[in-house]
Amino acid sequence: MADPIIIAVPKGRILEEAVPLLRAVGVEPEAAFSDEDSRALRFHTNRSDIDLIRVRAFDVATFVAHGAASLGIVGSDVLEEFAYSELYAPVDLGIGHCRLSVAEPAALAAADDPRGWSHIRVATKYPNLTRRHFEARGVGAECIKLNGAMELAPVLGLAPRIVDLVSSGRTLKENGLVEVEVIAQVTSRLVVNRAAFKTRPEVVPLVDAFRRAVEVRDAA
Ligand code: PRP
């Protein structure tokens, strides 16, 4: 038998939303997949020809772009940051809704007007996307790259503003920050390695099954 098809899924909240979709396409993960305490990284499913891996959101794109996984679930934020040519993103899964925004301390926001910016310094995981967004509106963006805990940057003087994902807004609030500009709306996409799409016959029906599952869910 050929090696199983690998589907890469991001850890954390997207995983919770991904499980019902996987079920709807006929892929039932083993119980440990949804167990946050499990240290395992690769999981079996009810289908002997499909395994799942659980990795960081940015790494989903890397695994799939290099063909180490054939399919993956990844946010449009990650796709726009890296613009991998080996990735094909055929289905918007309509999960993982959030937005990429600029935020700053409430005290700064009180007297700030984003329309007046000509140069800003931000801490972010998304330097490419951020620079592109601000270039398009004539603002120079100096980006300090962080991999997490961006919210600490303003209070510790690393950068007065941050660009980060906002979902409920709780993280910003608990760190005394307010959202002042939305850069992009984000949802998770099904991504496929372009070579696997052509060479692994199991991939096309799986992509179709995801597309149908989303249509059925959205029509309900
Ligand atoms: C994201 C993001 C914020 C938080 C926003 O981090 O970086 O920290 O979620 O969500 P909220 O508006 O609902 O508070 P995530 O929890 O995905 O983990 P990460 O730090 O590993 O990116």
Side-chain angles (χ1 to χ4, degrees), residues 13 56 125 147-151 164-172:
R13 349 176 188 199
R56 286 177 180 273
K125 239 186 312 216
N147 295 308
M150 263 74 65
E151 294 79 10
D164 194 12
L165 296 180
V166 182
S167 176
S168 65
R170 188 175 157 205
T171 307
L172 291 183

Short mmCIF file of all heavy atoms in Angstrom, two decimals, residues 13 56 125 147-151 164-172, ligand 1:
data_model
loop_
_atom_site.label_atom_id
_atom_site.label_comp_id
_atom_site.label_asym_id
_atom_site.label_seq_id
_atom_site.Cartn_x
_atom_site.Cartn_y
_atom_site.Cartn_z
N ARG A 13 -6.99 26.50 18.79
CA ARG A 13 -8.44 26.63 18.54
C ARG A 13 -8.89 26.15 17.18
O ARG A 13 -10.02 25.69 17.04
CB ARG A 13 -8.97 28.05 18.66
CG ARG A 13 -8.10 29.00 19.21
CD ARG A 13 -8.67 30.37 19.20
NE ARG A 13 -7.54 31.15 19.63
CZ ARG A 13 -7.60 32.34 20.12
NH1 ARG A 13 -8.75 32.94 20.20
NH2 ARG A 13 -6.52 32.95 20.51
N ARG A 56 2.43 23.66 14.54
CA ARG A 56 2.12 25.09 14.65
C ARG A 56 1.56 25.61 13.33
O ARG A 56 1.96 25.15 12.26
CB ARG A 56 3.37 25.89 14.99
CG ARG A 56 3.81 25.72 16.40
CD ARG A 56 5.09 26.45 16.67
NE ARG A 56 5.46 26.24 18.04
CZ ARG A 56 5.02 26.99 19.05
NH1 ARG A 56 4.25 28.02 18.82
NH2 ARG A 56 5.38 26.71 20.28
N LYS A 125 4.43 39.11 14.08
CA LYS A 125 4.81 37.83 13.48
C LYS A 125 4.68 37.92 11.96
O LYS A 125 4.98 36.98 11.26
CB LYS A 125 3.76 36.81 13.96
CG LYS A 125 4.31 35.66 14.73
CD LYS A 125 3.35 34.65 15.05
CE LYS A 125 2.27 34.07 15.45
NZ LYS A 125 1.77 33.02 16.04
N ASN A 147 7.76 35.99 17.68
CA ASN A 147 7.00 34.76 17.37
C ASN A 147 5.80 34.55 18.28
O ASN A 147 5.03 33.62 18.10
CB ASN A 147 7.93 33.55 17.43
CG ASN A 147 8.98 33.64 16.34
OD1 ASN A 147 8.63 33.84 15.18
ND2 ASN A 147 10.23 33.54 16.70
N GLY A 148 5.63 35.41 19.27
CA GLY A 148 4.49 35.32 20.18
C GLY A 148 4.61 36.44 21.19
O GLY A 148 5.58 37.20 21.17
N ALA A 149 3.61 36.55 22.05
CA ALA A 149 3.61 37.54 23.14
C ALA A 149 3.91 38.96 22.64
O ALA A 149 4.58 39.74 23.32
CB ALA A 149 4.60 37.12 24.23
N MET A 150 3.39 39.27 21.46
CA MET A 150 3.56 40.62 20.89
C MET A 150 3.07 41.70 21.85
O MET A 150 3.58 42.81 21.87
CB MET A 150 2.71 40.75 19.61
CG MET A 150 3.41 40.54 18.33
SD MET A 150 3.79 38.82 18.03
CE MET A 150 2.19 38.08 17.88
N GLU A 151 2.03 41.34 22.63
CA GLU A 151 1.38 42.32 23.50
C GLU A 151 2.34 42.94 24.51
O GLU A 151 2.06 44.00 25.07
CB GLU A 151 0.20 41.67 24.23
CG GLU A 151 -0.94 41.23 23.31
CD GLU A 151 -0.67 39.92 22.57
OE1 GLU A 151 0.33 39.23 22.90
OE2 GLU A 151 -1.43 39.60 21.65
N ASP A 164 -1.22 41.99 15.21
CA ASP A 164 -1.45 40.61 15.67
C ASP A 164 -2.89 40.19 15.35
O ASP A 164 -3.73 41.02 15.00
CB ASP A 164 -1.22 40.54 17.19
CG ASP A 164 -1.09 39.09 17.69
OD1 ASP A 164 -0.95 38.16 16.85
OD2 ASP A 164 -1.14 38.89 18.92
N LEU A 165 -3.12 38.89 15.49
CA LEU A 165 -4.47 38.37 15.28
C LEU A 165 -5.36 38.75 16.45
O LEU A 165 -4.92 38.71 17.60
CB LEU A 165 -4.44 36.85 15.16
CG LEU A 165 -3.68 36.28 13.97
CD1 LEU A 165 -3.73 34.76 13.99
CD2 LEU A 165 -4.24 36.81 12.65
N VAL A 166 -6.58 39.12 16.13
CA VAL A 166 -7.57 39.43 17.16
C VAL A 166 -8.78 38.55 16.89
O VAL A 166 -9.29 38.52 15.75
CB VAL A 166 -8.00 40.91 17.12
CG1 VAL A 166 -9.00 41.21 18.23
CG2 VAL A 166 -6.79 41.83 17.22
N SER A 167 -9.21 37.85 17.93
CA SER A 167 -10.41 37.03 17.77
C SER A 167 -11.49 37.59 18.69
O SER A 167 -12.31 38.40 18.28
CB SER A 167 -10.05 35.57 18.08
OG SER A 167 -11.18 34.77 18.02
N SER A 168 -11.46 37.22 19.97
CA SER A 168 -12.45 37.77 20.91
C SER A 168 -12.05 39.17 21.36
O SER A 168 -12.88 39.92 21.87
CB SER A 168 -12.54 36.86 22.13
OG SER A 168 -11.30 36.88 22.83
N GLY A 169 -10.78 39.52 21.25
CA GLY A 169 -10.28 40.81 21.75
C GLY A 169 -9.79 40.73 23.18
O GLY A 169 -9.27 41.70 23.74
N ARG A 170 -9.92 39.54 23.78
CA ARG A 170 -9.57 39.38 25.20
C ARG A 170 -8.08 39.61 25.46
O ARG A 170 -7.71 40.28 26.45
CB ARG A 170 -9.98 37.97 25.62
CG ARG A 170 -9.84 37.75 27.08
CD ARG A 170 -10.35 36.41 27.52
NE ARG A 170 -9.68 36.10 28.77
CZ ARG A 170 -9.49 34.88 29.23
NH1 ARG A 170 -9.92 33.85 28.56
NH2 ARG A 170 -8.86 34.70 30.37
N THR A 171 -7.22 39.09 24.58
CA THR A 171 -5.77 39.24 24.81
C THR A 171 -5.38 40.71 24.80
O THR A 171 -4.62 41.18 25.66
CB THR A 171 -4.97 38.47 23.73
OG1 THR A 171 -5.44 37.13 23.70
CG2 THR A 171 -3.49 38.47 24.02
N LEU A 172 -5.91 41.48 23.85
CA LEU A 172 -5.60 42.92 23.80
C LEU A 172 -6.05 43.59 25.09
O LEU A 172 -5.31 44.33 25.73
CB LEU A 172 -6.28 43.58 22.60
CG LEU A 172 -5.77 43.20 21.21
CD1 LEU A 172 -6.51 44.01 20.15
CD2 LEU A 172 -4.26 43.43 21.09
C1 PRP B 1 -3.58 34.53 18.99
C2 PRP B 1 -3.03 35.93 18.87
C3 PRP B 1 -3.44 36.60 20.14
C4 PRP B 1 -4.72 35.87 20.51
C5 PRP B 1 -5.92 36.70 20.18
O1 PRP B 1 -2.69 33.72 19.65
O2 PRP B 1 -1.63 35.93 18.65
O3 PRP B 1 -2.46 36.45 21.14
O4 PRP B 1 -4.77 34.67 19.74
O5 PRP B 1 -7.13 36.07 20.54
P1 PRP B 1 -8.26 36.82 21.39
O6 PRP B 1 -8.56 38.09 20.66
O7 PRP B 1 -9.44 35.87 21.39
O8 PRP B 1 -7.73 37.03 22.76
P2 PRP B 1 -2.95 32.16 19.79
O9 PRP B 1 -3.76 31.87 21.01
O10 PRP B 1 -3.51 31.63 18.52
O11 PRP B 1 -1.53 31.56 20.05
P3 PRP B 1 -0.08 32.04 19.60
O12 PRP B 1 0.34 33.01 20.64
O13 PRP B 1 0.70 30.77 19.61
O14 PRP B 1 -0.19 32.66 18.24
#
